[in-house]
Amino acid sequence: MANSVDLAETVRAKRLHIVAALSARFANVELAENAFAEACVRAAATRSPPRDWAAWLYAVAQRIAIDSLRHSRVVRAHADAAASFDEEVSVSERSMIPDRRLALFFACCHPAIDIASRVALALSTICGFSAKHISRACLLSPAAVSQRLLRAKKKLTGSGIMFEIPDSRFFAERLESVLCTIEIAYSQAHASSDPDGEQALLARQTLELVDILATLMPGNAQVNALAAALWFSEARRPARRDAAGKMIPLEDQDPQLWDRPMLARARDYYGQVDTAQDASLRTLQADIQALWCSRRRQSDPAPWNRVLARYDRMIAIRDSAFIRLNRVVAIRKLQGAAAGLREFEELPCAALEGSPAYHAVGAELLSHTQRVREAIQAYDTAIGLQEGSAERAWLIAQRDALVLRAAR
Amino acid sequence: MKYVLLIHEDHANYKDEDGWNEIIRRHEAFGEAHASAIVGGEGLNGPETATTLHRKGEETMVHDGPFAEAREQLGGFYLVEVASLDEAMAIAKDIPFAGDGSVEIRPCIDEG
């Protein structure tokens, strides 16, 4: 009985390690995952449990992979290659499992793989979530996710994506692709404030992903900044909607409701980020999150001044319509609606038109500058674009209050 | 690994002679910069010179024109030998264009 517990624990704790080593060895994730799954089945049936389950699983999975390669058309023509595989198996059985986890991370998040597939691949191959799990979180059918995963794995195998940590020529661009994959997964998860729904599930999966990356790349400022920002953000989930299911804006949230252990985790990551030394969009974003999360209670003043300074620095690094939109909100809070509206009218409308936040910010500014009719229209546009139910409920409440005010 | 870099662009970009000479010069510079990786390559005459054979079962039909009618057409290719997709992508990024266009990066079947 003790052994089946050991086995289950090893499978859970060492899956990524073993699958990564197999993937790198055969340059094939699909083969690695299938061989690992088959090795687990054989492990459960074996009558003589080994002393080291991980080494056993790795060795057996390697043999399974080689056998399956032998049967495939490609390697039958290269019996020599298969023979050389064989010799190596017996050696590695006694040695350690090579740590290729980070290499696998980089491979799964390669920029040549479609971004949506990258998200699915990272969640499935790195975290080990099932296609069914991922499909619920990404609002796709399980069949669509499986299809996407299959295609992505074929691309990984056939296109010359290396299962290696990229060298200095490509490192920055490849790391950016890894971080973007995690960011996009999390932004999907964060779009809805639902505390228990599928999006919350995806959020937890994504946090696991960023934790793994942070363990594998200790001391990397970009990774720590991203991890901090995501954990800060997720810590606020319990305070993001009221009892009626309506969104509560960040400024009005009760900090007492924020998740303490998550905040502590975020601060751990944030403590390793030095924004003065390494000012980038990500470290500044982590800074802003940390500023908001430093509030203890609702009566503490909102940190708009310092937040605005961060947005200004971000725009100096890279001018982006969305950062400018956030900056408008800070200006409105600090200098009033008229000043906010002046800045708002300077925004690049084409880039923001599809964003409900853009119309919601505009609506609020218009409603406080005697342009109520336009404000109501802008709220309607925002409501039409908004997907999350809590966010939509909040927008509807804002609009209805305005309609009532206009009628009086 | 060997890759074919398939260059798709609008042939109309090369109508005037100065533009043509300029792009030839840039391709020469590109070829020199990546000489160690480039195994082969050609520029192609315009899609109006293309002949396509369509095969349906036992029957072969001749079509006067390229495989698919599109504004961007295959205009040339390079064959490169590099260690990874990253390197192939880096080379493809340097391919000169007169206007907009695209490069399809296709790995060749590995003969072992």
Side-chain angles (χ1 to χ4, degrees), chain A residues 13 94 118 202 208-209 311 323 394:
Chain A
R94 271 172 272 123
R118 242 185 273 164
L202 177 59
E208 192 167 316
L209 206 53
Y311 285 136
I323 302 172
W394 181 80

mmCIF file of all heavy atoms in Angstrom, chain A residues 13 94 118 202 208-209 311 323 394:
data_model
loop_
_atom_site.group_PDB
_atom_site.id
_atom_site.type_symbol
_atom_site.label_atom_id
_atom_site.label_comp_id
_atom_site.label_asym_id
_atom_site.label_seq_id
_atom_site.Cartn_x
_atom_site.Cartn_y
_atom_site.Cartn_z
ATOM 1 N N ALA A 13 4.634 14.577 -8.421
ATOM 2 C CA ALA A 13 5.745 15.498 -8.185
ATOM 3 C C ALA A 13 6.778 15.488 -9.310
ATOM 4 O O ALA A 13 7.454 16.482 -9.543
ATOM 5 C CB ALA A 13 6.419 15.163 -6.859
ATOM 6 N N ARG A 94 20.740 4.333 -14.127
ATOM 7 C CA ARG A 94 21.506 4.467 -12.904
ATOM 8 C C ARG A 94 21.838 5.933 -12.591
ATOM 9 O O ARG A 94 22.242 6.253 -11.504
ATOM 10 C CB ARG A 94 22.805 3.653 -13.004
ATOM 11 C CG ARG A 94 22.630 2.220 -12.535
ATOM 12 C CD ARG A 94 23.873 1.397 -12.818
ATOM 13 N NE ARG A 94 23.845 0.811 -14.143
ATOM 14 C CZ ARG A 94 24.786 0.992 -15.073
ATOM 15 N NH1 ARG A 94 25.804 1.764 -14.821
ATOM 16 N NH2 ARG A 94 24.688 0.407 -16.235
ATOM 17 N N ARG A 118 -0.244 28.027 -27.646
ATOM 18 C CA ARG A 118 0.844 28.122 -26.676
ATOM 19 C C ARG A 118 0.289 28.067 -25.259
ATOM 20 O O ARG A 118 0.838 27.389 -24.395
ATOM 21 C CB ARG A 118 1.534 29.482 -26.869
ATOM 22 C CG ARG A 118 2.972 29.393 -27.261
ATOM 23 C CD ARG A 118 3.553 30.798 -27.305
ATOM 24 N NE ARG A 118 3.355 31.444 -28.577
ATOM 25 C CZ ARG A 118 3.487 32.762 -28.769
ATOM 26 N NH1 ARG A 118 3.779 33.555 -27.763
ATOM 27 N NH2 ARG A 118 3.317 33.281 -29.951
ATOM 28 N N LEU A 202 -8.726 28.817 -14.293
ATOM 29 C CA LEU A 202 -7.625 29.138 -15.205
ATOM 30 C C LEU A 202 -6.596 30.013 -14.498
ATOM 31 O O LEU A 202 -5.392 29.846 -14.685
ATOM 32 C CB LEU A 202 -8.161 29.848 -16.460
ATOM 33 C CG LEU A 202 -7.113 30.301 -17.482
ATOM 34 C CD1 LEU A 202 -6.298 29.130 -18.000
ATOM 35 C CD2 LEU A 202 -7.765 31.028 -18.655
ATOM 36 N N GLU A 208 0.180 28.646 -11.157
ATOM 37 C CA GLU A 208 1.058 27.484 -11.008
ATOM 38 C C GLU A 208 2.173 27.540 -12.049
ATOM 39 O O GLU A 208 3.341 27.276 -11.771
ATOM 40 C CB GLU A 208 0.233 26.203 -11.168
ATOM 41 C CG GLU A 208 0.988 24.968 -10.758
ATOM 42 C CD GLU A 208 0.047 23.774 -10.616
ATOM 43 O OE1 GLU A 208 -1.041 23.917 -10.027
ATOM 44 O OE2 GLU A 208 0.412 22.719 -11.122
ATOM 45 N N LEU A 209 1.772 27.929 -13.263
ATOM 46 C CA LEU A 209 2.723 28.047 -14.359
ATOM 47 C C LEU A 209 3.814 29.069 -14.027
ATOM 48 O O LEU A 209 5.008 28.822 -14.204
ATOM 49 C CB LEU A 209 1.943 28.484 -15.607
ATOM 50 C CG LEU A 209 2.466 28.135 -16.988
ATOM 51 C CD1 LEU A 209 2.743 26.658 -17.126
ATOM 52 C CD2 LEU A 209 1.434 28.572 -18.029
ATOM 53 N N TYR A 311 2.674 55.171 -14.577
ATOM 54 C CA TYR A 311 2.155 55.154 -15.958
ATOM 55 C C TYR A 311 2.990 56.060 -16.855
ATOM 56 O O TYR A 311 3.287 55.706 -18.001
ATOM 57 C CB TYR A 311 0.680 55.569 -15.992
ATOM 58 C CG TYR A 311 -0.254 54.491 -15.504
ATOM 59 C CD1 TYR A 311 -1.311 54.782 -14.641
ATOM 60 C CD2 TYR A 311 -0.097 53.156 -15.919
ATOM 61 C CE1 TYR A 311 -2.168 53.783 -14.181
ATOM 62 C CE2 TYR A 311 -0.942 52.163 -15.461
ATOM 63 C CZ TYR A 311 -1.973 52.478 -14.597
ATOM 64 O OH TYR A 311 -2.816 51.492 -14.150
ATOM 65 N N ILE A 323 -2.066 51.746 -21.836
ATOM 66 C CA ILE A 323 -1.433 52.418 -20.699
ATOM 67 C C ILE A 323 -1.940 53.861 -20.631
ATOM 68 O O ILE A 323 -2.225 54.397 -19.561
ATOM 69 C CB ILE A 323 0.108 52.369 -20.811
ATOM 70 C CG1 ILE A 323 0.568 50.909 -20.875
ATOM 71 C CG2 ILE A 323 0.761 53.073 -19.628
ATOM 72 C CD1 ILE A 323 2.043 50.737 -21.176
ATOM 73 N N TRP A 394 -22.162 46.039 -13.183
ATOM 74 C CA TRP A 394 -21.689 47.326 -12.665
ATOM 75 C C TRP A 394 -21.964 48.438 -13.682
ATOM 76 O O TRP A 394 -22.464 49.507 -13.342
ATOM 77 C CB TRP A 394 -20.195 47.247 -12.350
ATOM 78 C CG TRP A 394 -19.635 48.523 -11.796
ATOM 79 C CD1 TRP A 394 -19.730 48.960 -10.517
ATOM 80 C CD2 TRP A 394 -18.924 49.539 -12.516
ATOM 81 N NE1 TRP A 394 -19.111 50.186 -10.377
ATOM 82 C CE2 TRP A 394 -18.603 50.558 -11.599
ATOM 83 C CE3 TRP A 394 -18.513 49.683 -13.849
ATOM 84 C CZ2 TRP A 394 -17.898 51.708 -11.961
ATOM 85 C CZ3 TRP A 394 -17.816 50.818 -14.215
ATOM 86 C CH2 TRP A 394 -17.514 51.828 -13.278
#
